[in-house]
Amino acid sequence: MQTIRVDTPSAKYGVIAGSGLLETLAPRIERVVGRLPRRVFVLTSAPIWALWGDCMQQSFQDAPVVLFLEPGEKHKTLASVEKLARQMAQAGGDRGSLLIAFGGGIVGDVGGFLAAIYMRGIPCVQVPTTLLAQVDSSVGGKTGVNLPEGKNLVGSFHHPLAVFADISVLGTLPERELRAGLMESVKAGIIRDRTLVRFMEEHADEVLGRDPKALEKVIAASIRMKAGVVNQDERENGLRMILNLGHTVGHALEQATGYKTLLHGEAVGWGMVAALYLARQRGTISKAQLERLENLIHLYGPLPPLKLRLSKVVAATGGDKKNVGGVRRFVLPVGIGDAGIVEDVTAAELEAATKYLLARAGEKTAS
Ligand SMILES: NC(=O)c1ccc[n+]([C@@H]2O[C@H](COP(=O)([O-])OP(=O)(O)OC[C@H]3O[C@@H](n4cnc5c(N)ncnc54)[C@H](O)[C@@H]3O)[C@@H](O)[C@H]2O)c1
Ligand SMILES: [Zn+2]
């Protein structure tokens, strides 16, 4: 069991990662909030509740009120938030109520946002159940929902009182979700933690085989990296941007494939391949480092093959025109375990990096 501290100007809390946290959740929350309030709400989705609901509820003396969000990104909407807020009001939710978000990143983002605005803000606790949510979305206080015009366009910063990342719940996570989430851990290693890179290289079998000790190590290291960055730059004015390694091109790939073919982590995996190529071209990583890190990405793949037109992907990055303020911002690895932000990526460089990744992703189709 490991506890990592988030300590920002607006919030201080612990992120606890380890096995068997669910069974003792209520007393653990009480240790943070004092006595549990009269109304405790759990936001989850039906498949997660069917698998883990009994285990999660067992330590509560009074059963919490369970609210359900339909699974899938298309339900991460303001309409869902309104519906859930009304259910809370009807069930007697007041300013002292507590909301526990129990699920993947979608439940966490919607639950966090609901808690941020219900009666102008109530406390929440995050209990993430996917690897991605444990290492990334539950930590750092970003919450929100999508609009038809784009992802995460409405939201707020609302930190939880605590995060409990129970590694045991990953036992039922589909393999593909596990691998995709691990791309964010690969990212964590590349930008800030060469020991994590080495560990993930040497222990891929244990990590992918869900050995609890190996998973705890990777998850705790990834959380430590994210918390460390958030502690220095809560509102993403500078350093926090390095968490976007692989995300400029990754988001473009998600958009160009209509959010249907790729899981987020898979898109980030391919996006990192493009960033590595660009870093190699600029000489911030060596050829050997490029090969090593690309191998690591594929070790935690397989990333789905892609058949996309170069111009479509480049257009989706917004890179065919200059971004606001005339800069094309990119996170580039510097060696292994460090990264920097560059703002002068040329259209030609972006095209070359995208071309490289599409060639790689095409090779995968052929093999
Ligand atoms: N707030 C942030 O800082 C931040 C950061 C990264 C991503 N996100 C958001 O996170 C979301 C993606 O999260 P995600 O990848 O966790 O997807 P998700 O929430 O859709 O979960 C993936 C799938 O796994 C299932 N599932 C969850 N836990 C399970 C378990 N233990 N066993 C079996 N099945 C389980 C879910 O029902 C779902 O079908 C996106 O909306 C993204 O925008 C937010
Ligand atoms: Zn991401």
Side-chain angles (χ1 to χ4, degrees):
M1 190 99 42
Q2 304 199 34
T3 303
I4 298 115
R5 301 294 304 172
V6 175
D7 187 344
T8 72
S10 57
K12 299 186 197 325
Y13 55 97
V15 181
I16 295 134
S19 301
L21 297 170
L22 274 195
E23 288 90 332
T24 50
L25 191 60
R28 286 180 185 283
I29 295 176
E30 279 183 327
R31 241 173 274 154
V32 179
V33 302
R35 260 189 61 175
L36 285 175
R38 195 172 55 88
R39 278 280 175 272
V40 176
F41 293 92
V42 176
L43 176 66
T44 187
S45 68
I48 296 161
W49 196 247
L51 289 165
W52 294 102
D54 286 345
C55 181
M56 194 266 195
Q57 281 196 102
Q58 70 186 47
S59 63
F60 288 81
Q61 268 177 2
D62 301 315
V65 178
V66 184
L67 308 171
F68 291 98
L69 178 67
E70 297 270 329
E73 196 70 43
K74 71 170 186 284
H75 297 287
K76 192 176 145 179
T77 59
L78 280 170
S80 296
V81 172
E82 180 177 4
K83 194 165 128 196
L84 293 164
R86 291 188 58 190
Q87 289 170 3
M88 286 171 71
Q90 286 156 18
D94 57 27
R95 291 176 63 185
S97 299
L98 173 73
L99 186 112
I100 303 171
F102 180 49
I106 294 181
V107 166
D109 277 9
V110 171
F113 187 51
L114 180 60
I117 60 173
Y118 185 74
M119 301 193 90
R120 298 190 187 83
I122 62 168
C124 78
V125 166
Q126 292 282 352
V127 184
T129 65
T130 63
L131 194 120
L132 181 125
Q134 295 190 349
V135 301
D136 192 355
S137 59
S138 66
V139 179
K142 281 190 185 177
T143 74
V145 296
N146 304 327
L147 293 179
E149 287 73 17
K151 278 196 65 179
N152 302 319
L153 288 185
V154 177
S156 82
F157 281 91
H158 190 62
H159 288 279
L161 294 177
V163 181
F164 298 98
D166 188 338
I167 282 149
S168 322
V169 300
L170 301 177
T172 55
L173 192 66
E175 168 94 11
R176 193 177 162 198
E177 296 283 350
L178 181 81
R179 288 175 180 267
L182 283 164
M183 285 300 149
E184 300 283 4
S185 294
V186 169
K187 177 196 81 180
I190 295 176
I191 61 180
R192 268 289 176 273
D193 186 349
R194 52 204 289 204
T195 312
L196 176 60
V197 167
R198 166 141 307 172
F199 184 84
M200 290 187 80
E201 284 173 335
E202 289 176 354
H203 300 273
D205 286 349
E206 288 114 292
V207 174
L208 290 168
R210 307 180 203 214
D211 170 73
K213 280 214 175 76
L215 271 182
E216 183 177 311
K217 207 154 173 152
V218 169
I219 290 169
S222 312
I223 296 171
R224 201 167 293 119
M225 185 287 302
K226 179 154 186 190
V229 170
V230 169
N231 289 349
Q232 289 177 61
D233 175 24
E234 183 183 17
R235 298 283 164 138
E236 198 169 331
N237 297 317
L239 181 68
R240 190 165 175 170
M241 285 177 206
I242 68 165
L243 300 174
N244 290 329
L245 173 70
H247 283 64
T248 310
V249 172
H251 286 147
L253 293 171
E254 287 183 284
Q255 198 186 318
T257 50
Y259 295 93
K260 290 196 180 79
T261 327
L262 294 169
L263 296 179
H264 172 72
E266 294 168 342
V268 170
W270 280 129
M272 287 193 289
V273 170
L276 288 170
Y277 176 84
L278 190 48
R280 175 66 205 119
Q281 293 308 106
R282 287 201 166 202
T284 63
I285 61 173
S286 67
K287 184 160 179 283
Q289 287 169 332
L290 169 73
E291 280 166 12
R292 184 175 163 195
L293 294 175
E294 243 193 283
N295 284 340
L296 178 64
I297 291 166
H298 294 303
L299 194 56
Y300 287 89
L303 298 177
L306 295 171
K307 263 194 162 163
L308 286 167
R309 265 187 302 121
L310 175 65
S311 57
K312 189 172 176 180
V313 182
V314 171
T317 62
D320 51 341
K321 43 190 177 305
K322 284 223 169 177
N323 296 346
V324 187
V327 293
R328 218 177 262 121
R329 193 172 277 144
F330 234 90
V331 184
L332 290 188
V334 178
I336 296 180
D338 196 6
I341 296 153
V342 290
E343 304 200 322
D344 59 349
V345 174
T346 66
E349 280 179 310
L350 175 65
E351 226 178 273
T354 310
K355 203 167 168 180
Y356 178 81
L357 105 81
L358 289 178
R360 286 288 205 245
E363 280 168 18
K364 297 274 157 199
T365 325
S367 62

